[in-house]
Amino acid sequence: MSHTRSWTVRILSVLLLVAASMAFVGVGAAQHTSLSPIDEYVYIDYLAKVGSQGAVASGEATGEFAREYLDCHGVQYALEPRPEFCGTGVSGTDADYPFGGANTADLYTPIYFAITRVLAQPLMTLGGMDLVAAGRLVGAVWLAAAAVLLAGSLRRLGADRMLSVAAPLLLIGSLPIWWSTTFVTTDATAPVAGAALLYVTVRWAQSGRGAWMLPTIALVATLAKLQNLMAVAACAITLVVLAWRRSLPEAVTTRRVVTVLGSMLILPLIGQGVWSVLRPKLADPLSGAQGITQPLTGDALVREVLKFFGSYTTSGRDPLLFNAPGYLVATVLGWAIVGGILAALVLYGPRVVRRSEVSSVTPDPENARNSLLFALALGVLIVSLLGGPLLVAALWLTGQGYFPLPTRYALSLFPIALAITVTLCARARAGRVLILIGAPVAFVCGLLFVFTGTPLGSGS
């Protein structure tokens, strides 16, 4: 009976997180009257074409569907609608559209677009939605997967069932999630990539099972979006620290650790290299110039240091584009996460670094969780500080050139950083109560009014 009850509680927990994700994405997507300025125009074109041609070619002209949608709706903060073209079946010239009429999303593999198109089709067929509305709603699937995986990680890190269900509401109702799941965007893959890597890393560190999943997820996540390499690197550093600390299960040998780490880091680079060779190319492409590429210099690399630390909850666009409650929620949660990372390093660092104190016997579960928490925090901190220059190098090597990195490129770190803070709070009664009350409140705020109203940055 208790086993049946346990599975019932698990299923209800999953359904609650799925429902919350659907509500957040559904309400947010319904409010959009224009395209996202974060490349949604070219993503819509890719989504429209993925079923017939698989991938878009470098320099390929955007199709009629995307152009008409832009003409009818415009781009938020950038372009007004053009009613002279909307619904007429006539579009402007290439020069009338962003990037000289070219689709600049050719660097992406079809993974995100193919999955989203398959899941959107029933909504289009049964619900009568257009492709954009259906594609945006599929963001709820990506978000629900991230929330459920985060809840599973929190359970493994010691949070009780109630807390592990409440805490992901902080993820679901956040500013970066609003940007990444209520529009058509490859950023939707980042939260689920980070949450999946976190869950499998914690599972392997605790049980020694599922090692093969780490390189597999790393490969798929980075093929979906190269910037998800940030979470891969953070989890790889976590495993290095745990191996040095001898905090991994006895069955996990040094050779096994080296093999897994090597696969995690090498397979994504090989995958990107293969894609750069195989992706379609046109003999006479449009220029597709975005006007953001700059020379890669030593000063440019230095500027990217510290780019991502503290930006976990404000990635996407400047929070000043939203109203005062939106800015407040994003800022408070952001500083709480930074505090959690630093606290984990301070509280558990001294005991972790003294390798000579490590016992040869199986470690105490509580000490093992402390070591894991420290390793995760150190991994997130190092990648937040140095990930910018490393990602610039990766983008340069894969032919994307250098440009100042937007903070949303570290979005895959958000679930990992949040899990660290929540786990720490779960160990104190006051912290647990704060999350149990604060997480639902933050979610409701995000659902109802945080991302609407008069923007602080509008001067109104």
Side-chain angles (χ1 to χ4, degrees):
M1 180 65 70
S2 60
H3 181 73
T4 301
R5 181 182 178 185
S6 175
W7 273 104
T8 301
V9 172
R10 292 180 186 180
I11 293 172
L12 290 175
S13 300
V14 169
L15 291 177
L16 176 61
L17 293 176
V18 170
S21 300
M22 292 175 63
F24 184 77
V25 173
V27 170
Q31 294 174 347
H32 299 325
T33 58
S34 55
L35 293 170
S36 166
I38 308 178
D39 298 333
E40 189 179 23
Y41 164 62
V42 293
Y43 294 152
I44 286 173
D45 185 56
Y46 204 140
L47 187 64
K49 295 175 178 177
V50 69
S52 59
Q53 63 186 62
V56 298
S58 176
E60 176 180 322
T62 49
E64 293 182 4
F65 179 84
R67 293 190 180 198
E68 182 176 14
Y69 202 90
L70 183 144
D71 289 334
C72 293
H73 296 85
V75 178
Q76 194 178 58
Y77 311 122
L79 296 174
E80 293 295 325
R82 294 184 287 207
E84 66 271 22
F85 293 136
C86 178
T88 64
V90 178
S91 61
T93 64
D94 290 338
D96 293 324
Y97 296 91
F99 317 129
N103 188 316
T104 56
D106 59 280
L107 292 168
Y108 293 104
T109 69
I111 290 178
Y112 163 76
F113 303 99
I115 294 174
T116 300
R117 182 58 189 265
V118 169
L119 295 177
Q121 194 61 49
L123 298 176
M124 297 165 63
T125 303
L126 302 177
M129 300 179 184
D130 66 25
L131 178 61
V132 177
R136 288 170 173 173
L137 287 180
V138 172
V141 179
W142 295 98
L143 177 54
V148 170
L149 287 165
L150 175 59
S153 298
L154 291 172
R155 286 289 287 161
R156 285 187 165 273
L157 288 169
D160 60 44
R161 178 71 63 185
M162 185 177 297
L163 192 66
S164 67
V165 174
L169 295 176
L170 292 169
L171 175 80
I172 295 172
S174 65
L175 175 62
I177 293 300
W178 186 87
W179 279 113
S180 63
T181 61
T182 65
F183 294 99
V184 175
T185 170
T186 54
D187 288 338
T189 66
V192 68
L197 286 162
L198 169 67
Y199 180 81
V200 178
T201 298
V202 171
R203 182 174 184 265
W204 191 47
Q206 292 179 337
S207 67
R209 298 192 300 269
W212 63 271
M213 297 176 67
L214 280 168
T216 302
I217 295 174
L219 175 61
V220 174
T222 52
L223 281 177
K225 193 176 184 73
L226 177 62
Q227 290 83 348
N228 293 338
L229 189 62
M230 302 285 282
V232 176
C235 289
I237 293 172
T238 297
L239 293 174
V240 170
V241 173
L242 291 174
W244 178 82
R245 171 69 172 89
R246 295 181 181 175
S247 293
L248 293 171
E250 292 183 1
V252 179
T253 64
T254 301
R255 180 178 179 181
R256 184 66 166 166
V257 173
V258 171
T259 300
V260 171
L261 288 174
S263 301
M264 284 179 66
L265 298 175
I266 293 174
L267 283 180
L269 298 180
I270 293 176
Q272 286 291 332
V274 171
W275 173 244
S276 68
V277 174
L278 296 181
R279 74 172 191 254
K281 297 179 177 64
L282 297 179
D284 187 22
L286 298 175
S287 66
Q290 299 189 48
I292 59 174
T293 303
Q294 301 177 8
L296 178 58
T297 64
D299 290 341
L301 288 175
V302 172
R303 286 196 298 270
E304 298 303 330
V305 178
L306 291 174
K307 172 62 71 70
F308 303 119
F309 185 62
S311 66
Y312 312 112
T313 62
T314 58
S315 58
R317 299 280 290 190
D318 192 327
L320 288 175
L321 293 171
F322 299 95
N323 56 17
Y327 182 80
L328 179 64
V329 169
T331 302
V332 170
L333 180 58
W335 280 111
I337 289 176
V338 169
I341 292 172
L342 297 179
L345 294 173
V346 171
L347 291 174
Y348 307 122
R351 286 192 293 274
V352 170
V353 296
R354 289 199 289 269
R355 186 168 182 262
S356 60
E357 295 182 2
V358 178
S359 173
S360 60
V361 300
T362 303
D364 177 74
E366 183 64 23
N367 290 335
R369 279 196 292 268
N370 292 345
S371 294
L372 180 53
L373 203 62
F374 170 80
L376 286 168
L378 186 60
V380 170
L381 179 65
I382 291 175
V383 173
S384 297
L385 297 179
L386 302 180
L390 294 177
L391 187 55
V392 163
L395 292 170
W396 181 268
L397 291 173
T398 55
Q400 300 185 45
Y402 167 69
F403 50 90
L405 301 179
T407 55
R408 62 189 174 86
Y409 281 5
L411 181 55
S412 60
L413 293 178
F414 183 22
I416 304 175
L418 180 60
I420 295 168
T421 299
V422 171
T423 302
L424 274 177
C425 290
R427 300 182 178 188
R429 180 180 177 84
R432 184 174 180 276
V433 171
L434 183 62
I435 293 177
L436 288 176
I437 296 175
V441 169
F443 168 75
V444 171
C445 291
L447 182 68
L448 298 181
F449 66 88
V450 160
F451 306 127
T452 60
T454 303
L456 290 174
S458 66
S460 303

